[in-house]
């Protein structure tokens, strides 16, 4: 594989496509036998649109990225991809993604995806420099993913999935900001103008607040009547995996200090991967056992 192709794949941030798995959550929680095929197409479509936004972000922030200890290695910042090539890739990815959504023929998903794109362009240009607003936009992006999954698979979104998605996304976003604050404290350099709106005390308190509220919300979800009817009386046991996963992420954040890239953490940490797999398996077992 040539260096150019490697740079293009890196620019697309295919590893970040794991975030779009949230599109499958409505089908999974509903244990629906249908809708998976459309969800897969929506996943691919949204991933291409998201990649176009990632490229736009790298293109717009190229000078700031060159000041960051890790982001300076991104293809555009490292001069491995030219400006013209980046613009072409933005157009191709966006058109591929929107064409797939047109193939699905769901206008609501198209509108939500366009809103996601516009919101993230605004985020890149201005809003990511506004403290708190930046992490809220990240959380809204995950909600849009879940909403697309629900609409495309014709699955009703419960208030529980909306609430827990928002809390989890905020938790991960704040943990990511902690990494930026640490870098600023250690080097005096920052790639974000909003860094003055955060400090370690605020970040840590917010992380604990989001995690605590998320765990409580999940436990309330597992003991709700609608969930017990679907999965049985022992669905609350899945809370153990959620709590263990949160504790593990705390360890990664506060002990290892590597929470700056949640996607990389998930893709590399075997402990988290096994916890998530066991959580999924437990749901499937409980659902089949309750039938």
């Amino acid at each position: 594989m040539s260096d150019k192709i490697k740079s293009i794949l890196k620019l697309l941030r295919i590893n970040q496509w794991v975030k779009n798995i949230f599109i499958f959550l409505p089908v999974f929680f509903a244990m629906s036998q249908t809708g998976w095929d459309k969800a897969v197409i929506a996943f691919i479509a949204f991933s291409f649109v998201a990649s176009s936004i990632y490229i736009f972000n790298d293109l717009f922030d190229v000078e700031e990225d060159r000041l960051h200890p890790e982001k300076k290695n991104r293809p555009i910042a490292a001069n491995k991809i030219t400006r013209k090539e980046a613009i072409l890739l933005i157009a191709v990815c966006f058109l591929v993604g929107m064409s797939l959504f047109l193939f699905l023929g769901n206008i609501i998903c198209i509108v939500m995806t366009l809103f996601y794109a516009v919101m993230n362009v605004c985020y890149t240009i201005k809003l990511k420099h506004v403290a708190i607003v930046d992490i809220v936009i990240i959380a809204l992006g995950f909600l849009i993913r879940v909403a697309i999954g629900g609409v495309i698979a014709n699955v009703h979104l419960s208030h529980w999935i909306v609430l827990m998605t928002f809390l989890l996304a905020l938790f991960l976003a704040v943990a990511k900001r902690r990494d930026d604050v640490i870098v600023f404290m250690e080097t005096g350099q920052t790639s974000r103008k909003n860094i003055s709106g955060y400090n370690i005390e605020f970040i840590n308190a917010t992380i604990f607040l989001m995690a605590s509220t998320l765990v409580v919300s999940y436990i309330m979800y597992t003991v709700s009547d609608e969930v017990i009817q679907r999965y049985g009386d022992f669905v609350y046991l899945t809370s153990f995996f959620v709590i263990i996963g949160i504790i593990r992420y705390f360890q990664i954040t506060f002990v290892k200090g590597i929470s700056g890239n949640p996607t990389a953490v998930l893709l590399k940490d075997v402990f988290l991967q096994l916890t998530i797999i066991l959580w999924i398996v437990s749901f499937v077992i409980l659902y089949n056992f309750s039938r």
Side-chain angles (χ1 to χ4, degrees):
M1 186 181 296
S2 68
D3 291 338
K4 178 65 73 173
I5 295 177
K6 289 181 180 179
S7 296
I8 290 175
L9 293 176
K10 186 176 181 180
L11 187 63
L12 294 178
R13 298 194 209 176
I14 294 178
N15 61 316
Q16 296 291 337
W17 286 15
V18 69
K19 296 176 181 177
N20 304 327
I21 289 177
F22 276 75
I23 289 174
F24 296 106
L25 287 184
V27 187
F28 172 75
F29 278 114
M31 286 295 167
S32 175
Q33 301 299 315
T34 61
W36 287 98
D37 52 345
K38 291 183 178 179
V40 169
I41 297 175
F43 169 85
I44 297 172
F46 193 88
S47 295
F48 273 105
V49 173
S51 285
S52 71
I53 301 300
Y54 293 145
I55 300 170
F56 175 79
N57 176 77
D58 287 1
L59 188 61
F60 189 85
D61 287 345
V62 61
E63 298 302 327
E64 293 181 351
D65 285 350
R66 286 169 179 158
L67 300 176
H68 195 278
E70 294 182 5
K71 295 178 182 179
K72 66 180 181 181
N73 296 316
R74 288 177 174 176
I76 300 177
N79 296 314
K80 295 180 179 179
I81 296 291
T82 67
R83 185 180 183 85
K84 289 183 178 179
E85 290 171 337
I87 293 173
L88 177 61
L89 284 170
I90 290 173
V92 170
C93 288
F94 187 80
L95 289 175
V96 169
M98 294 310 298
S99 295
L100 287 173
F101 273 121
L102 286 172
F103 171 77
L104 289 173
N106 192 302
I107 188 65
I108 297 178
C109 287
I110 293 174
V111 171
M112 286 193 292
T113 304
L114 288 174
F115 176 77
Y116 172 86
V118 172
M119 180 180 70
N120 277 275
V121 167
C122 294
Y123 172 85
T124 296
I125 295 174
K126 180 66 178 179
L127 297 181
K128 72 176 180 179
H129 299 302
V130 183
I132 298 181
V133 172
D134 60 330
I135 59 175
V136 170
I137 288 179
I138 292 174
L140 288 176
F142 281 92
L143 282 181
I144 290 174
R145 290 173 171 89
V146 171
I148 288 175
V151 170
I152 206 67
N154 196 28
V155 173
H156 171 71
L157 292 181
S158 72
H159 59 283
W160 291 114
I161 189 173
V162 172
L163 178 61
M164 289 188 293
T165 298
F166 188 71
L167 290 170
L168 177 59
L170 277 180
F171 169 72
L172 296 175
V174 175
K176 184 176 181 178
R177 286 294 172 269
R178 188 177 189 276
D179 188 71
D180 292 329
V181 172
I182 294 296
V183 170
F184 175 69
M185 291 173 60
E186 292 179 348
T187 66
Q189 295 181 335
T190 176
S191 61
R192 294 183 180 276
K193 298 177 182 178
N194 69 345
I195 203 67
S196 60
Y198 297 107
N199 60 31
I200 287 297
E201 291 78 11
F202 174 75
I203 289 287
N204 290 346
T206 306
I207 289 175
F208 287 124
L209 174 62
M210 292 302 103
S212 301
T213 310
L214 174 60
V215 169
V216 171
S217 297
Y218 186 84
I219 293 174
M220 292 177 65
Y221 161 76
T222 61
V223 297
S224 63
D225 292 337
E226 59 180 299
V227 175
I228 291 176
Q229 289 176 4
R230 182 180 303 153
Y231 297 105
D233 294 329
F234 298 104
V235 67
Y236 71 90
L237 295 175
T238 62
S239 299
F240 295 167
F241 299 112
V242 173
I243 295 171
I244 292 170
I246 294 293
I247 292 174
R248 175 58 176 175
Y249 208 86
F250 274 175
Q251 183 184 42
I252 292 170
T253 301
F254 297 109
V255 178
K256 298 185 177 182
I258 52 174
S259 61
N261 190 334
T263 303
V265 170
L266 177 60
L267 293 176
K268 294 179 180 180
D269 191 79
V270 177
F271 190 106
L272 270 180
Q273 293 169 358
L274 288 175
T275 302
I276 294 173
I277 290 172
L278 289 173
W279 174 75
I280 294 173
V281 170
S282 67
F283 252 104
V284 175
I285 292 175
L286 288 170
Y287 177 78
N288 288 307
F289 183 74
S290 65
R291 293 303 92 193

